[in-house]
Structures are given as C-alpha cells and as structure tokens.
Amino acid sequence: MLLLGSLLSFTALATAACAARFPKPQIKPWVPPGPDDSRGPCPMINTLANHGYLPHHGRNITASMIEHAFTSFLNVEAGFADAARDFAKAFGHDVFDLVDLNTPGIIQHITSLTRDDYTPEQPQLKADPLRIESLLADSDTPFLTVDSIAKTRLRLLQESEPRVLPDNQVTFTLFEAAMTLTMMADHSPDADHDPPPSAYQGPKDRIRMWFEEERFPTEFGWRPSKRTIKLADMSPAIDAIVKSMEKQDQNGKVALKFHS
Ligand code: HEM
Ligand SMILES: *[C@@H]1O[C@H](CO)[C@@H](O)[C@H](O)[C@H]1NC(C)=O
C-alpha cells in the first residue's frame, strides 16, 4: 500500500514536471455564434470572437480590444491591429459591431477567398463551403502554397468579371492571401532570414477548419505562433504571390497592375 502510494505520487510528480516542460495549450473553447451574435467577413476576427478572445457577442468592439487579442493570445505584433484603427476612422466610430466590417470599400472587397461577391441585396455574405473547396483544390498537395494561392487569386479576379477589383483593394487581397499561408503554419517564416517562396505553406486541414467553422484547428495541431509574427513577415510572401500571378497569367487575361 505504501509502495503503491509512493508510486502514485511519483507519477503525479512526473506528470506535473512534464506538463511544466510541455505546457498544454490553454486555448479557450470554441462556441459558435448564436443568432444574436455579431460577426463580420474576417475569418480571424470571427474566430477570436468564437473562442472568447473578443467578446462573444461581437458588439461594441474597439481596435484596442483587437490589438490586445493579437498580442496577448495570437502572438502577432500590434501593427496587425492598425487595420482596425483605420477601419474605425473610415467608419466614423471608435466602437463598432463585427457586422459593420462588411461595409463595402473600407476593407471589404470583391474576389474574396471564401465569400461570394457582395451585392446591395446581399451585403453580409458568409463563407461558402464550395468556394473554400475550390481554394483548396487549386493545390494538389496537402498545403496551400504561393503558386496555388496565386492561381486562386487569378481565378477569382476572372470569376468576378465584369466587376473589377479596385487597385487600392488589390493590396488587401494580397495581404490576406499571405496571412492565409502564414497564420496556420507551424513556423511562420521570418522575413529577417530572407525566406524562399517555398517556405510559405499553409496546411489544408487547418485552413479548412479555420475558414469553414471559424475555429482554431487545435485538433490538427495548430497553436499560436511561438515567434511573434511581424507585419514585415508578409512582404516576401506578397512579392512571391505577385510574381507567381504574373507568371501564371501568361495570356494576360487579368490586367495586373501591381508595378510601382
Ligand atoms: C492577424 C490578423 C488578421 C488575420 C490573420 C486576418 C485574416 C484575414 C483573411 C485570410 C481574410 C480573407 C478572407 C477571404 O478572402 O475570404 C480577411 C479578410 C478580412 N479581414 Fe482580416 N485578418 C486579420 C486582421 C484583421 C483586422 C485587424 C481587421 C479589421 C478590423 C480585419 C478585417 C477584415 C475584413 C473586413 C475582411 C474582409 C475582406 C473581404 O471582403 O474579403 N482583419 N482577414
Ligand atoms: C453596446 O453599446 C451600446 C451603447 O452604449 C449599449 O446600448 C449596448 O447595450 C452595448 N451592447 C453590448 C452587447 O455591450
């Protein structure tokens, strides 16, 4: 009995030591939005609200709340929240509901990876599973890559015709494509180390769960990045995506105006 007791306490001690060395991720549970919860078109902001890193009701949100969720949980630098400050300024209120992020022409745009183009009748579109399947099908490996997402961007520009994505929104789509490749990866490439285009790849199983359910794919091994992800880390990916788009658009069907 004594032996069993000391064995048990040894196991408990060993488990505690192990847990301290390999802390289990403390990720708040995912709770899907209810009918009265406010959600917008950004898969990351919605996911943070679904896990309670932003108020689950998605109302009365400020840029500072988003910045706090980014720096304290997601481990991306505060600058990623500048988009929220710019949005609030353009929207005309420091406090907004997530549904307000659908306002066309501020950040929201056509040719999205996951949602059909808005129309005046349908200004608040949700992610479309078929559109997500097409995004994933553009790569024939288990990862989305620079080349696959460049192919997707070209395809979506063509599918939206005759509507044309305004030049000033092209940058948003490239930034979002870069974030899609980096945010679900185990090691998001550090721009300081001059990463090659092949360093950027996002696992499809994680991206599918993130986009379809707006849920952090911890079941597929996702954890917040250990290294703080910088805005600058997106630049090599964006450059590589633009180059790949230019190469793949050989017939010049899509007028690319990324130069300058
Ligand atoms: C780490 C930070 C962020 C990540 C990883 C992220 C990720 C993404 C991705 C991947 C998309 C593209 C969705 C698609 O094309 O279907 C997107 C769209 C969007 N994001 Fe975020 N986002 C971040 C920060 C923000 C912030 C701070 C705001 C402003 C409050 C914001 C507002 C939006 C909006 C309005 C869209 C819709 C664009 C469209 O019409 O497709 N995002 N985001
Ligand atoms: C949001 O703010 C408005 C105005 O102050 C208030 O009436 C409302 O109850 C708030 N909603 C939530 C969910 O906090």
Side-chain angles (χ1 to χ4, degrees):
M1 219 39 215
L2 203 72
L3 184 67
L4 187 61
S6 47
L7 248 181
L8 277 178
S9 54
F10 174 77
T11 313
L13 268 177
T15 311
C18 193
R21 224 162 4 123
F22 302 106
K24 270 232 186 98
Q26 295 296 321
I27 294 179
K28 296 188 200 180
W30 173 77
V31 181
D36 294 332
D37 295 326
S38 183
R39 292 293 181 270
C42 177
M44 184 52 85
I45 303 280
N46 287 350
T47 302
L48 288 166
N50 289 344
H51 283 268
Y53 292 102
L54 290 171
H56 193 265
H57 49 63
R59 298 181 191 279
N60 296 347
I61 303 296
T62 64
S64 302
M65 289 161 110
I66 293 174
E67 182 181 312
H68 183 258
F70 283 0
T71 54
S72 68
F73 169 70
L74 197 58
N75 205 10
V76 301
E77 72 176 354
F80 277 89
D82 289 354
R85 296 218 157 72
D86 294 346
F87 171 83
K89 199 176 270 174
F91 186 59
H93 307 276
D94 288 341
V95 175
F96 53 89
D97 296 344
L98 294 186
V99 70
D100 298 328
L101 292 172
N102 286 295
T103 312
I106 302 183
I107 303 178
Q108 205 270 104
H109 52 72
I110 60 168
T111 77
S112 300
L113 300 170
T114 66
R115 288 169 307 110
D116 293 339
D117 293 347
Y118 65 88
T119 62
E121 298 76 38
Q122 272 283 29
Q124 301 167 11
L125 290 157
K126 299 228 174 338
D128 173 6
L130 284 177
R131 210 166 166 103
I132 295 171
E133 279 323 307
S134 306
L135 162 75
L136 300 173
D138 282 334
S139 159
D140 49 20
T141 73
F143 296 91
L144 294 192
T145 63
V146 161
D147 284 336
S148 86
I149 213 151
K151 181 180 173 188
T152 305
R153 291 277 357 120
L154 287 171
R155 182 171 57 71
L156 293 172
L157 288 167
Q158 282 178 7
E159 286 175 11
S160 283
E161 285 172 359
R163 292 174 88 174
V164 177
L165 183 70
D167 284 352
N168 63 335
Q169 293 182 343
V170 169
T171 321
F172 286 126
T173 63
L174 294 170
F175 208 86
E176 290 157 8
M179 291 195 293
T180 301
L181 296 185
T182 51
M183 291 293 163
M184 292 295 124
D186 283 332
H187 302 285
S188 176
D190 183 343
D192 294 344
H193 299 155
D194 225 348
S198 59
Y200 290 89
Q201 46 171 19
K204 280 185 185 175
D205 49 3
R206 298 184 190 179
I207 291 172
R208 178 186 271 114
M209 181 176 264
W210 176 34
F211 281 177
E212 281 184 0
E213 299 182 54
E214 302 191 320
R215 171 179 196 157
F216 287 119
T218 49
E219 284 92 330
F220 295 113
W222 180 86
R223 302 287 178 266
S225 176
K226 290 204 184 72
R227 181 184 66 84
T228 303
I229 299 174
K230 306 181 259 68
L231 280 171
D233 296 333
M234 301 303 121
S235 299
I238 291 172
D239 292 347
I241 293 166
V242 170
K243 279 214 183 74
S244 180
M245 285 176 78
E246 287 170 341
K247 209 161 103 199
Q248 293 186 57
D249 185 38
Q250 277 164 350
N251 54 10
K253 268 203 79 167
V254 176
L256 296 172
K257 315 184 198 85
F258 304 136
H259 304 285
S260 89

